[in-house]
Amino acid sequence: MKKVIVLLSLLSLFIVTGCTDLNLLSIDRIIETVIKKDSKLKNVNFEGYSYYIPRGLKFINKNEYNAYLSDRYNNYYYIYVDVISKHSNTKHKYKVNKNAFYSKEIKTKDKFGYLEINEYNDSYFIEAMYNYMKIEAYVEKSNLRNSLSDIALILSSVKYNDKVLDTIVGENILNYKEENYNIFDTNKDKSDFLDYVKEYDSDETIKDEDSIEIEEGE
C-alpha cells in the first residue's frame, strides 16, 4: 500500500510540475505550478473554511484559526487563517525585500499574496501568504523545496464558506478586532516563531494526516 501511495505522489508531482525531483526545480517553478493550481483537495474541515494537509505533515496543536504542524524532517509550520481580512475583502500590496534570500509577490486573477525566505545559518525562515492564509516555517536548507511544495499545496487548497464566515465574524467582530497578528506584514525575525515551537513542541499531537479522510472538491 505504501508503494502505491509513493507512486501516486510521484505521478501527481510529475503531472503538476513535469518533474519528479523537486531539487531540480526553481522556487519560481514550484510556486507557479503548485500554488496557482487552485487545488481541489481537502482533508481538513473547520468552521467556515477547509484546506488540505499533504502526507508527511501532522498537527501538533489547533487553536481556533491557528494551527501548528511538523513534518517528517522535524521542520515546523505555523498556519494562520485571517477571517477578518477575508470577510472585509482587504487588499494589500507586498513590497519586495531586496535583502531576503527570496522575495516575491504572488498574484492571480482574484487572489494575492507573497513568499519571502530569509537565511539563518543552516536553515531558512519561510513566510508565505496567499488567499488570506499565512504559513511560517523554519526548515533546514536541504528541505527547502520539499517544504515549499507542501506549503504551496496547503495555500492553494484553502477554501472559504462565506455564509458561515459572515455569521461567525458578525457575532464575534469585537473579539476579532483585538487580534494584532497581521498576515500582510513579514516578521523579519524568526524569534516569535521559535517561541511557538518551544511552547507546542511537547504537546500531544491532536491529529495527523493518516487519520483524516481525504475528500475531493467542495
Side-chain angles (χ1 to χ4, degrees):
M1 183 62 183
K2 289 184 178 180
K3 289 183 179 179
V4 173
I5 292 172
V6 171
L7 288 173
L8 288 175
S9 298
L10 289 173
L11 179 59
S12 298
L13 177 62
F14 179 77
I15 292 172
V16 173
T17 65
C19 177
T20 57
D21 187 353
L22 284 172
N23 291 320
L24 298 177
L25 298 176
S26 67
I27 295 175
D28 284 341
R29 177 67 171 160
I30 294 173
I31 297 304
E32 289 292 327
T33 56
V34 179
I35 204 171
K36 294 184 178 182
K37 185 175 179 290
D38 193 22
S39 173
K40 301 301 181 184
L41 290 172
K42 67 176 182 179
N43 56 10
V44 178
N45 289 279
F46 297 115
E47 194 172 21
Y49 66 99
S50 64
Y51 55 89
Y52 177 74
I53 295 296
R55 289 190 173 277
L57 292 177
K58 63 181 180 180
F59 279 98
I60 297 174
N61 187 280
K62 170 72 173 66
N63 180 20
E64 294 186 347
Y65 299 101
N66 307 308
Y68 302 87
L69 296 85
S70 64
D71 65 17
R72 55 193 175 280
Y73 304 110
N74 292 320
N75 298 308
Y76 294 89
Y77 304 76
Y78 167 64
I79 297 177
Y80 178 73
V81 181
D82 189 349
V83 294
I84 294 297
S85 294
K86 175 67 175 79
H87 175 73
S88 59
N89 197 31
T90 301
K91 302 296 183 183
H92 187 84
K93 187 172 179 61
Y94 172 71
K95 184 178 180 180
V96 171
N97 178 12
K98 295 181 180 180
N99 295 319
F101 172 79
Y102 182 94
S103 176
K104 189 172 183 177
E105 184 178 29
I106 304 170
K107 194 172 183 179
T108 59
K109 183 178 180 180
D110 59 345
K111 299 172 186 176
F112 68 97
Y114 62 84
L115 172 63
E116 183 168 316
I117 305 172
N118 286 286
E119 188 174 8
Y120 293 94
N121 298 321
D122 295 327
S123 301
Y124 289 115
F125 181 52
I126 303 170
E127 296 181 81
M129 193 282 289
Y130 186 71
N131 196 17
Y132 300 103
M133 171 188 275
K134 183 175 182 182
I135 302 178
E136 296 180 359
Y138 189 60
V139 306
E140 294 183 3
K141 287 186 175 180
S142 59
N143 301 141
L144 177 62
R145 282 166 174 75
N146 284 315
S147 293
L148 285 177
S149 178
D150 287 339
I151 288 170
L153 187 52
I154 297 171
L155 291 173
S156 71
S157 70
V158 62
K159 299 291 186 299
Y160 298 97
N161 186 321
D162 290 330
K163 290 183 179 179
V164 174
L165 287 183
D166 287 347
T167 301
I168 295 173
V169 174
E171 292 177 350
N172 298 280
I173 191 66
L174 294 178
N175 293 331
Y176 288 134
K177 284 184 176 179
E178 295 178 359
E179 296 276 351
N180 57 12
Y181 183 77
N182 189 345
I183 65 169
F184 305 120
D185 291 338
T186 56
N187 289 330
K188 303 290 192 298
D189 190 346
K190 68 181 187 306
S191 59
D192 289 341
F193 179 80
L194 292 179
D195 287 341
Y196 297 144
V197 171
K198 290 178 182 178
E199 180 179 356
Y200 291 101
D201 188 25
S202 60
D203 287 357
E204 182 180 358
T205 299
I206 60 172
K207 184 188 291 184
D208 62 36
E209 51 80 22
D210 288 329
S211 67
I212 305 171
E213 183 178 355
I214 296 177
E215 304 173 15
E216 293 286 348
E218 285 287 341

